Amino acid sequence: MNGIFGLDGRTWDIILAIITASIKAFVIVNGLLLAFAYMTLSERKVLGRMQARYGPNRAGPWGILQPIADGIKLAFKEDVTPRQANRWIHLLAPCLALVPALIIFAVIPLGPEMEVFGVPWTWHVARVNVAYLYAAAIASVGVYGIVLAGWASNSKYALLGGLRASAQVISYELAQGLAAMTAIVMAGSLDLYEIVNQQVASGLPYALYLPFGLVAFVVYVIAGVAEANRAPFDLAEAEGELGAGFHTEYSGFKWSMFFMAEYVNMINISALASVLFLGGWWPIPTDAPGVVQALGPVVFLVKIALFMFMFIWLRATLPRLRFDRLMSLGWKVLLPVALVNLIGTATVVALWPLGTWPFAN
Amino acid sequence: MAFVELQSPPPPSNALAGAVADVTALAKGLGVTLGYLFSKPVTIQYPEERPRLPARHRGRHELERHANGLEKCVGCELCALACPSKAIFVEGAENPPDAPVSIGERYAKTYLVNMIRCIFCGYCVEACPTEALQLKRVFELADYTRESMIYGKETLLAPAPKREAADSWLPG
Amino acid sequence: MEFLIFSAVAAIAIAAGLLMVLQRNAMYSALFLVVVFFCLAVIYILLGAYFLAVVQVAVYAGAIMVLMLFVIMLLNVAWPEPDDRVLGLLRPLGATAAVTFAMLMAWALAGTPGLPSPLPGTSLPVGAAMTLGRVGEAQAGHVQEVAVTLFSKYLLPFELVSILLLAAILGASVLARKRPDHA
């Protein structure tokens, strides 16, 4: 491509990078929002069936137009800002909740790196060698949305809800991070591609490495549910005590941004859990490159969907925890378990080279 | 004074037993919800699917007729007296002998039931000496104005010509 | 390209830093400080130091500033007008500190040789290389490099800082504990 329009190869590469990244980012953001919309529908339907009722089934066949109807309703609802609220931060908070949730997906590999008709193709926006840390860091920025929403609303319900939610998220981040470190120590890399490749190479997803992998997986999932502020850890939205928690004073589109952030965060947590512990895009029974390349993204989406189902299933089943029990579960159970588990993993990894694990069978 | 000590379930013998019990309980709960996921919902898809009403459902009032077409109501106003929410208004009149409306000496010239006030208690039916008044199984009573919720004889009298088509699904 | 991004981010960082100092509202100050942290993270990325950038966001923006916000929220401080006597003492002190810091930075920068190319494997800017999947092999060991340096060359300072932090945590726990005899 040298010399076209007088631009050299390096400039062309930069332009190509910008264009591909923009297109991928556009597709991923819209995909996530579409997934959010239909996640709300499937959540309502599955919850309904678990409670022996149908769920929404009137808007379009099987209710498939329900998210569109909901979206139109939310977009046209009055957007109330309380008079005593801090107007700008009240506006900033939902943005700060949604944007981090959306940009985490940039580093998540949907499928293996491959060549399509000789052109290299990758299923990510950016391959970063500290991808997991990036996801964790951006997720921790999402807390701002909650804290600021609680503060800016100038309402006691919102303030207490915001405090609860952010205390909870910060507490469970630790256990979640330590559980993720187990997989990272096993793979010897923070790069999500590398983590999946190592699992494929070792022939077993990390969740099946007994006992450490399984314990880390369970801790990660529990902490993930708490991170997403989902039942049974949805203390922030304990409607009996706090109204709607930190978004009590939100309505209309700003409210729906919090809603989107919650669901996109669930998708992120599911995707990260799949990558770290279930082999990401790897269709577990086989590792033939052709099958992996053809089915990879589908397999990955199926794994995400299973996690999303688990989120709904838990919500349908479990009652909400009391706040002090939530905190002691995080600090006195999950954190020590994850820490001991990580030390155990590190010991085993140090004693036996990667891939020759005594427990891996 | 004797105090009764409330018995809490015996604590598990050790931490492991406790954890096992907790996980078992969790799995049991999850199993219940999963079972319901594959069960048939109890929801009645209302406008398409009609509810199966119990035999003695108390719906809208109906003023019965004898087989010969004469009204059973004799305009005694006992139903209006029995009504705890004062939803019934009856104005009786002398039954014209040449063109009788009811079988008695009197008949109900005006019979109004205010369906906004009615609580469907059925006391009016119990009070009726001639078994003229019945609560039937019509339950779709919603309407747009207060005025239209005051039902007169033209609506209440059996067979209600206005509602006949709508009621045709009812057994009996 | 890199220069454009750098200039923009640097300008934002300076503006946000100034706004942070000049704000009366503590909440706004805290938020502008977060903006500064993010700008720093972007500059780290431009230099190819992802790990540092991510840690910058996770630790400073994600953890420390959230705690600061907690404090501001919970105390809801009404800031008193500063006392003139205190200001009279603080102003020269602050000015001295600022000038000293600027001189130190200038001295340190003057001694630094030209910065190495951020990405050894490629001539592309960092963002483009990440998108096209052409991150060089040398880049993969970055976290390892940091870890090795930290645990060999700088082991003593690292452990000292750990002990300092541990002492701070213990002190905080002791202060926050409810004493049964006083309650």
Side-chain angles (χ1 to χ4, degrees):
Chain A
M1 276 207 252
N2 277 3
I4 306 170
F5 304 127
L7 298 174
D8 59 9
R10 182 176 180 271
T11 316
W12 274 114
D13 274 350
I14 294 174
I15 293 172
L16 181 67
I18 291 175
I19 292 172
T20 45
S22 311
I23 293 171
K24 281 178 181 171
F26 181 81
V27 170
I28 283 181
V29 167
N30 285 287
L32 280 175
L33 292 181
L34 193 72
F36 149 73
Y38 279 91
M39 184 61 202
T40 61
L41 175 66
S42 37
E43 165 152 38
R44 290 169 67 185
K45 294 210 84 137
V46 172
L47 263 185
R49 290 304 296 259
M50 285 183 169
Q51 295 163 352
R53 54 189 178 82
Y54 285 101
N57 62 357
R58 293 284 148 160
W62 307 290
I64 55 168
L65 298 179
Q66 187 68 38
I68 297 166
D70 288 343
I72 293 171
K73 186 202 85 168
L74 280 170
F76 285 102
K77 259 183 115 165
E78 187 184 358
D79 194 349
V80 181
T81 308
R83 198 177 301 154
Q84 296 297 314
N86 184 316
R87 168 178 268 273
W88 293 110
I89 296 185
H90 193 262
L91 177 65
L92 182 69
C95 308
L96 276 180
L98 181 59
V99 170
L102 288 175
I103 63 178
I104 284 176
F105 223 82
V107 295
I108 290 176
L110 282 173
E113 289 183 313
M114 54 164 122
E115 290 204 342
V116 183
F117 306 117
V119 182
W121 171 252
T122 52
W123 293 94
H124 59 83
V125 177
R127 178 173 180 176
V128 191
N129 61 1
V130 288
Y132 177 74
L133 279 184
Y134 166 84
I138 299 296
S140 68
V141 172
V143 183
Y144 279 105
I146 301 172
V147 177
L148 292 179
W151 182 80
S153 298
N154 207 349
S155 145
K156 285 185 177 62
Y157 291 118
L159 184 70
L160 289 175
L163 278 180
R164 271 190 178 188
S166 37
Q168 172 184 342
V169 171
I170 292 171
S171 307
Y172 278 80
E173 250 169 30
L174 298 171
Q176 195 188 24
L178 283 175
M181 286 312 281
T182 307
I184 288 162
V185 166
M186 286 178 177
S189 174
L190 288 163
D191 185 345
L192 297 179
Y193 271 103
E194 195 54 32
I195 291 172
V196 175
N197 286 336
Q198 289 288 341
Q199 291 180 64
V200 177
S202 75
L204 205 62
Y206 285 148
L208 294 183
Y209 277 76
L210 298 172
F212 300 122
L214 184 63
V215 172
F217 176 60
V218 171
V219 170
Y220 189 90
V221 170
I222 295 175
V225 176
E227 277 280 285
N229 277 327
R230 290 280 302 183
F233 304 114
D234 54 346
L235 273 289
E237 296 164 40
E239 59 268 21
E241 307 152 31
L242 289 175
F246 60 88
H247 54 60
T248 304
E249 304 293 343
Y250 280 89
S251 63
F253 200 73
K254 283 194 265 181
W255 177 82
S256 67
M257 283 169 81
F258 281 118
F259 200 43
M260 282 180 215
E262 177 179 329
Y263 281 81
V264 175
N265 272 328
M266 281 160 65
I267 297 175
N268 289 333
I269 289 163
S270 306
L272 281 173
S274 320
V275 167
L276 292 172
F277 295 102
L278 296 186
W281 66 78
W282 172 33
I284 291 170
T286 175
D287 56 356
V291 181
V292 174
Q293 292 189 358
L295 288 181
V298 179
V299 169
F300 191 55
L301 292 181
V302 168
K303 286 175 183 171
I304 293 179
L306 286 177
F307 275 107
M308 300 305 271
F309 175 75
M310 181 209 69
F311 274 112
I312 302 172
W313 192 11
L314 288 178
R315 179 174 168 188
T317 309
L318 299 177
R320 190 177 289 135
L321 268 72
R322 214 171 62 197
F323 192 66
D324 58 327
R325 298 218 171 145
L326 170 91
M327 280 306 188
S328 52
L329 177 68
W331 287 102
K332 294 180 186 165
V333 180
L334 291 185
L335 187 63
V337 165
L339 195 58
V340 169
N341 192 54
L342 178 61
I343 294 170
T345 315
T347 315
V348 174
V349 169
L351 292 179
W352 286 275
L354 286 173
T356 62
W357 265 52
F359 310 112
N361 40 46
Chain B
M1 282 263 260
F3 288 97
V4 179
E5 195 101 349
L6 280 176
Q7 293 290 315
S8 46
S13 49
N14 58 48
L16 186 69
V20 169
D22 288 351
V23 172
T24 318
L26 195 70
K28 214 169 142 188
L30 288 171
V32 170
T33 38
L34 195 65
Y36 270 99
L37 177 63
F38 298 108
S39 70
K40 194 179 153 30
V42 297
T43 314
I44 294 164
Q45 301 277 25
Y46 163 57
E48 297 92 36
E49 209 182 314
R50 308 298 304 191
R52 295 166 61 89
L53 297 174
R56 307 195 64 172
H57 177 87
R58 296 200 292 251
R60 199 202 71 198
H61 304 71
E62 190 175 275
L63 288 171
E64 301 297 329
R65 288 178 195 269
H66 284 286
N68 61 9
L70 287 177
E71 293 173 17
K72 285 185 178 179
C73 179
V74 292
C76 69
E77 301 182 27
L78 279 175
C79 46
L81 280 171
C83 183
S85 53
K86 298 206 170 28
I88 302 179
F89 172 80
V90 186
E91 189 191 1
E94 210 63 42
N95 203 12
D98 45 339
V101 180
S102 80
I103 53 160
E105 290 174 11
R106 291 168 67 80
Y107 78 104
K109 196 174 145 207
T110 313
Y111 196 103
L112 297 176
V113 183
N114 188 339
M115 299 310 283
I116 299 175
R117 301 197 64 124
C118 177
I119 57 171
F120 302 95
C121 62
Y123 284 7
C124 47
V125 177
E126 278 179 41
C128 184
T130 59
E131 293 184 355
L133 194 60
Q134 302 284 322
L135 288 181
K136 290 293 186 151
R137 293 202 259 171
V138 182
F139 62 91
E140 288 154 312
L141 302 170
D143 214 333
Y144 291 99
T145 61
R146 285 162 195 279
E147 291 72 34
S148 63
M149 293 302 288
I150 298 170
Y151 289 3
K153 263 180 103 173
E154 70 284 355
T155 313
L156 297 171
L157 206 55
K162 249 177 83 182
R163 300 244 159 184
E164 196 171 31
D167 291 353
S168 60
W169 61 277
L170 284 166
Chain C
M1 182 80 178
E2 295 94 319
F3 181 74
L4 276 181
I5 297 177
F6 173 78
S7 331
V9 170
I12 296 172
I14 292 171
L18 283 176
L19 282 169
M20 179 210 115
V21 178
L22 297 175
Q23 274 298 328
R24 270 290 152 93
N25 187 329
M27 189 58 105
Y28 288 150
S29 288
L31 290 181
F32 280 121
L33 190 56
V34 176
V35 175
V36 176
F37 287 150
F38 268 93
C39 294
L40 282 185
V42 174
I43 292 175
Y44 287 143
I45 289 177
L46 285 178
L47 294 171
Y50 307 133
F51 181 69
L52 211 51
V54 164
V55 168
Q56 166 87 14
V57 172
V59 174
Y60 285 101
I64 294 180
M65 283 316 290
V66 173
L67 288 183
M68 300 271 281
L69 287 190
F70 262 64
V71 173
I72 296 171
M73 270 164 72
L74 285 178
L75 299 183
N76 210 359
V77 187
W79 297 100
E81 280 300 304
D83 191 338
D84 269 343
R85 278 175 307 161
V86 181
L87 269 187
L89 194 67
L90 282 181
R91 271 193 186 125
L93 265 181
T96 320
V99 170
T100 318
F101 183 69
M103 282 167 67
L104 269 174
M105 285 302 285
W107 179 66
L109 281 179
T112 312
L115 288 169
S117 164
L119 285 184
T122 167
S123 66
L124 286 175
V126 180
M130 287 193 313
T131 309
L132 296 178
R134 293 194 204 157
V135 180
E137 274 302 305
Q139 203 51 38
H142 191 84
V143 182
Q144 212 170 2
E145 269 172 43
V146 173
V148 168
T149 323
L150 207 57
F151 283 102
S152 56
K153 195 175 167 191
Y154 296 109
L155 184 61
L156 185 65
F158 181 76
E159 291 298 334
L160 283 178
V161 169
S162 314
I163 292 170
L164 187 67
L165 287 175
L166 187 64
I169 293 172
L170 285 178
S173 322
V174 168
L175 286 178
R177 226 179 90 184
K178 275 185 206 146
R179 284 179 213 129
D181 48 324
H182 285 264

